[in-house]
Amino acid sequence: MSDQTYDFSAEKSSNFQSLPEDWYKVKATEPKVTTSTSGNPMITIAWQVTEGDYENRKVFDNLVFSTNSLWKIKKVLEAVKSPLANQSARIQDVAEALKDQELRIYLLPDVKQDGSPTNKIKNYAGISETSDNSLYK
């Protein structure tokens, strides 16, 4: 057993709490083209809540460009009514098309592998679409 001591006084505790399960109106901020850990091109987005009790909170999302996840990107593009949803496009064009766009996301509280709270996006919908839970199911 080690007698080494550790100083925890400078460490900040996280007071992050996940958002409750519900639909949230959000705006795409900071879409950035990057690469996923598996090497696929990806857009990272911070969705900022634009109304209600949680206004200005952010939810982070990764849109990975791989064969198995193009459906998700198409759903987001359809939700913002982008014409790119029905054509070929470069990842940079998709990122630009999403910047400052508004839509609704359905969130579930979740827990990361390390036990810390997070949110999981379960669905995307246009602003004018109903925000009841039937869209989620």
Side-chain angles (χ1 to χ4, degrees):
M1 186 161 293
S2 173
D3 286 338
Q4 185 174 358
T5 59
Y6 300 91
D7 182 7
F8 300 105
S9 63
E11 297 298 317
K12 294 182 181 181
S13 297
S14 172
N15 61 356
F16 175 81
Q17 293 184 358
S18 56
L19 298 175
E21 179 178 352
D22 205 352
W23 283 99
Y24 294 89
K25 183 179 175 185
V26 295
K27 180 179 181 177
T29 63
E30 308 165 32
K32 292 187 175 89
V33 176
T34 187
T35 304
S36 71
T37 56
S38 60
N40 291 312
M42 171 175 77
I43 298 173
T44 60
I45 298 180
W47 299 108
Q48 184 172 341
V49 177
T50 59
E51 64 184 19
D53 293 340
Y54 300 98
E55 188 172 1
N56 295 321
R57 285 279 304 267
K58 290 186 178 180
V59 178
F60 299 94
D61 197 6
N62 296 325
L63 302 177
V64 180
F65 284 66
S66 71
T67 305
N68 295 333
S69 62
L70 291 179
W71 65 269
K72 178 180 175 182
I73 300 161
K74 181 176 178 78
K75 187 153 184 88
V76 171
L77 290 168
E78 289 174 339
V80 300
K81 299 187 179 348
S82 172
L84 296 180
N86 294 307
Q87 65 188 51
S88 297
R90 298 176 319 132
I91 189 170
Q92 295 87 348
D93 297 332
V94 173
E96 187 61 33
L98 293 176
K99 186 176 182 183
D100 297 327
Q101 293 296 311
E102 291 186 321
L103 54 84
R104 292 190 180 275
I105 56 175
Y106 191 82
L107 291 181
L108 290 176
D110 202 7
V111 179
K112 295 180 184 177
Q113 288 182 341
D114 66 5
S116 61
T118 190
N119 281 106
K120 186 171 195 164
I121 300 173
K122 293 301 287 183
N123 205 352
Y124 305 87
I127 292 297
S128 61
E129 293 180 57
T130 181
S131 60
D132 67 18
N133 290 347
S134 65
L135 280 174
Y136 167 63
K137 297 174 181 174

